């Protein structure tokens, strides 16, 4: 079954801790994205990567970090520097030649 | 910078009534516009794109470059249309998308 898999679906973190959200795709897509979804604010782009070993900051990259060592994987680390990390995080991917985005099911992160 | 605005956060209609979800964008070039939908407990998915000029699930959307709008319309709303709808703007094929704030549509019986 092809698609994008995010894990974990639910995650609790204590303040001051870093946490990494996993995103894996078997669609052979070149580009991958991380969005944050907050009520009333839509989807805001955190980081994106158009090719392996390369990534760019999105609109709200502060307090986050990513890596793209493999085409299939684009993990997101929410660091302790992120002031308001409690949110729903969505990973997505596209072919390099297309704009149709395929989304994962999302990960809920709660800071306690 | 490009921007997408969906002025209505919440929209409620009765079954069988027409529905229009508004989307305005700001971009000086030739954009690609999309509508994405997120049904309850499902992942976000593409509904339609302006290039295709197609009707999906009875929905249509026309790109109006003069008014910089890409409103989503359906003549007769159904209860199963209740969902969150996002308008999105792409600058060219393969580029990152900019999303609007989303409109939560509720179709009442």
């Amino acid at each position: 079954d092809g698609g994008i898999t995010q894990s974990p679906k639910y995650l609790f973190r204590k303040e001051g801790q870093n946490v990494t959200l996993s995103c894996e795709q078997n669609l052979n897509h070149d580009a991958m994205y991380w969005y944050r979804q907050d009520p009333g604010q839509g989807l805001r782009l955190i980081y994106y990567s158009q090719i392996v070993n390369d990534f760019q900051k999105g609109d709200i990259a502060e307090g986050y970090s990513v890596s793209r060592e493999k085409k299939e994987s684009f993990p997101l680390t929410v660091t302790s520097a992120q002031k308001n990390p409690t949110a729903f995080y969505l990973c997505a991917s596209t072919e390099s030649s297309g704009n149709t985005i395929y989304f994962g099911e999302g990960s809920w992160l709660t800071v306690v | 910078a490009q921007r997408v605005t969906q002025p209505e956060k919440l929209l409620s209609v009765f079954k069988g009534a027409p529905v229009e979800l508004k989307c305005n964008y700001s971009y000086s070039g030739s954009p690609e516009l999309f509508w994405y939908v997120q049904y309850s407990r499902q992942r976000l998915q593409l509904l339609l794109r302006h290039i295709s000029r197609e009707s999906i699930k009875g929905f249509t959307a026309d790109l109006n470059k003069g008014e910089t709008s890409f409103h989503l319309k359906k003549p007769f709303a159904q209860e199963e249309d209740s969902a969150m709808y996002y308008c999105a703007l792409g600058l060219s094929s393969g580029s990152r998308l900019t999303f609007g704030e989303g409109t939560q549509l509720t179709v009442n019986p």
Side-chain angles (χ1 to χ4, degrees):
Chain A
D1 184 25
I4 302 174
T5 302
Q6 289 185 237
S7 62
K9 285 190 177 179
Y10 300 95
L11 185 63
F12 293 86
R13 187 196 89 179
K14 291 184 179 179
E15 279 192 27
Q17 289 181 339
N18 293 353
V19 63
T20 298
L21 306 179
S22 169
C23 178
E24 304 279 332
Q25 54 99 359
N26 60 4
L27 300 168
N28 200 34
H29 285 171
D30 292 309
M32 297 187 74
Y33 308 79
W34 273 105
Y35 287 89
R36 172 177 168 143
Q37 188 177 22
D38 294 285
Q41 297 194 54
L43 277 69
R44 292 182 291 166
L45 183 65
I46 304 172
Y47 266 98
Y48 64 106
S49 166
Q50 294 185 309
I51 197 169
V52 175
N53 291 322
D54 187 49
F55 50 83
Q56 287 80 41
K57 292 182 179 180
D59 301 317
I60 55 166
E62 184 176 351
Y64 299 98
S65 66
V66 293
S67 63
R68 186 83 186 280
E69 297 177 3
K70 298 187 299 182
K71 188 176 186 178
E72 305 79 22
S73 179
F74 191 42
L76 173 74
T77 297
V78 184
T79 75
S80 56
Q82 168 50 232
K83 291 181 171 50
N84 187 21
T86 295
F88 187 58
Y89 292 88
L90 281 170
C91 180
S93 70
T94 64
E95 296 175 348
S96 58
S97 59
N99 263 337
T100 302
I101 279 191
Y102 295 86
F103 285 90
E105 292 187 315
S107 294
W108 282 100
L109 172 63
T110 302
V111 174
V112 296
Chain B
Q2 63 274 15
R3 184 177 173 83
V4 177
T5 303
Q6 294 177 247
E8 301 143 327
K9 288 187 170 50
L10 302 171
L11 184 60
S12 182
V13 300
F14 285 104
K15 177 182 173 181
V19 62
E20 181 180 55
L21 289 80
K22 291 184 168 51
C23 171
N24 291 91
Y25 66 91
S26 61
Y27 177 60
S28 56
S30 294
E32 293 191 41
L33 274 300
F34 306 81
W35 277 99
Y36 281 81
V37 61
Q38 188 173 30
Y39 299 104
S40 179
R41 301 184 184 280
Q42 294 186 29
R43 65 183 70 198
L44 200 62
Q45 58 187 287
L46 178 67
L47 180 62
L48 55 79
R49 53 196 303 174
H50 90 272
I51 287 180
S52 303
R53 301 184 67 83
E54 57 192 344
S55 173
I56 304 294
K57 299 184 178 183
F59 284 98
T60 59
D62 291 319
L63 178 60
N64 186 323
K65 291 187 177 181
E67 296 182 356
T68 60
S69 68
F70 187 57
H71 303 328
L72 183 67
K73 302 177 184 179
K74 185 169 182 177
F76 307 103
Q78 303 299 314
E79 290 180 66
E80 56 265 30
D81 296 328
S82 296
M84 177 69 85
Y85 291 81
Y86 289 97
C87 182
L89 165 69
L91 304 185
S92 61
S93 290
S95 70
R96 49 179 278 189
L97 292 180
T98 298
F99 286 84
E101 303 92 338
T103 297
Q104 178 67 51
L105 173 65
T106 301
V107 181
N108 300 298

